[in-house]
Amino acid sequence: MKFSKTIIAASLAFVSADSFAAAFQLSEQNASGLGRAYAGEASIADDASVVARNPALMTLFKEKQLSVAAIGVIPDVSLEGEGAPTGIDQSSLDDDSIAPSAVVPAAYFTMPYNDKVSIGFGAFSNFGLSTKFNDDYAAGQIAGETEIFTVNMNASVAYKVTEQFSFGVGLNVIYADATIVRKIGVNPFGVPSSTNVVDLEGDDTGYGLNVGLMYQLDENSRFGFNYRTETDITFEGTYSSAARGIAERSGSVDITLPAIAEFSGSHQLDEKLGLHYSVLWTGWSSFDKLEAEVGLPPEQGFEKTEDFSDSFRYSVGTDYQLNEDILLRAGVAFDESPVSQTHLSISIPDTDRFWFSFGGNYTIDQNSNVDLGVSIIRGKTQTFTETDDSGSQWAFESKGHAVLVGAQYNYKF
């Protein structure tokens, strides 16, 4: 069992370079904030997407609000082989497209119930990833395919305590689906390198809460805070391994989606210019290890230490009212990785990232407007060595960059 335990442990490190936020966290809950690098998300009330980042802001809307968004993720994630076991050309490890492009959708609706209470609903994602290597990749034991897909369905209510202070509470129902495939890769046994050693698929639904606060200092300055609880997910599904002759067995993996807290400020400096900023904390230290059970009766499949650290994201942005119909946006952000250098792998090519963003809003008529945003994300180059179950060492240089392009339609009625 040692061989299969180690392979599963390495393969279920649910982190990907194409999420383009810390570890497998997503920032792309709307396109309006994309143009500011998501600065001020807990304090600015652009549209109905406040459901995702601070429901207390719903009390600022006097009308029903509908927002529908889509953000395209265009990754540029590459690996270059720096070292390989004897007899294997290290250049065979080169891969310039391990993360596929993706679209992250979102939709929101808010409405005032009365002059004190507002309600809202949203469907969006806070976590997701996808990486895929060729079936015959030499280091197949630590490569393969890894995908996690989550949908957060939220219902929120907000209450205006005073003209300056509001709070909101949201219930989150999170559906998560995961697929993990690992290959045997180059081996001394004559087994085809594309042979599966792990093929695991499962899903689960978890629950959590978020709480938001909003304080209006004066007509030009507002502060906001939002906290989202941890969510426990147990991926229950099927496990098979062609290499071990196992057609199909039950399998499960437990993970904890981390808590998130964000503090934001928004200030209208004059009639045209606004300044926004955010500090976002993610409690990745809850993601300390991965455990799995396989078969009935359940056997301990593995226990793998991840030892993530809590991370921060810092962003600052601005907007400028060019004319009656056009609002321009720009922003920068620094996204800190929670992954230590000792735990990097080709399934975890995570790194600190810098965001450079711009965008705008165009008013179509008194009831509708559209947002466009673009972010250019640059990750630091990382070098690391990974050891597979046989003791072979594989060395890599990884680079992770991306372009995000988003559009959003907003309607009030």
Side-chain angles (χ1 to χ4, degrees), residues 38-75:
Y38 294 107
E41 285 297 285
S43 57
I44 193 169
D46 284 326
D47 47 62
S49 65
V50 297
V51 170
R53 300 295 278 262
N54 186 355
L57 296 171
M58 293 190 299
T59 61
L60 297 173
F61 300 139
K62 305 303 181 184
E63 301 166 299
K64 298 175 183 176
Q65 304 269 337
L66 173 68
S67 295
V68 180
I71 296 90
V73 182
I74 307 168

Side-chain angles (χ1 to χ4, degrees), residues 98-141:
I98 70 171
S101 298
V103 175
V104 182
Y108 307 93
F109 173 76
T110 68
M111 63 176 290
Y113 180 75
N114 55 37
D115 60 350
K116 293 285 188 180
V117 178
S118 297
I119 59 176
F121 305 91
F124 52 95
S125 181
N126 284 311
F127 301 96
L129 68 86
S130 179
T131 55
K132 186 173 184 178
F133 291 79
N134 293 330
D135 288 349
D136 59 354
Y137 191 71
Q141 296 181 26

Side-chain angles (χ1 to χ4, degrees), residues 182-195:
R182 288 296 179 268
K183 307 294 182 178
I184 196 169
V186 174
N187 64 91
F189 311 111
V191 179
S193 59
S194 60
T195 302

Side-chain angles (χ1 to χ4, degrees), residues 76-93:
D76 178 15
V77 183
S78 63
L79 288 173
E80 184 175 329
E82 296 287 302
T86 302
I88 299 177
D89 183 0
Q90 68 181 35
S91 65
S92 67
L93 303 179

Side-chain angles (χ1 to χ4, degrees), residues 115-173:
D115 60 350
K116 293 285 188 180
V117 178
S118 297
I119 59 176
F121 305 91
F124 52 95
S125 181
N126 284 311
F127 301 96
L129 68 86
S130 179
T131 55
K132 186 173 184 178
F133 291 79
N134 293 330
D135 288 349
D136 59 354
Y137 191 71
Q141 296 181 26
I142 55 175
E145 179 182 355
T146 307
E147 181 174 316
I148 181 171
F149 167 80
T150 69
V151 177
N152 188 325
M153 291 163 282
N154 175 282
S156 294
V157 60
Y159 182 75
K160 180 188 291 186
V161 180
T162 69
E163 289 301 316
Q164 288 75 39
F165 177 69
S166 298
F167 70 88
V169 179
L171 172 65
N172 299 281
V173 180

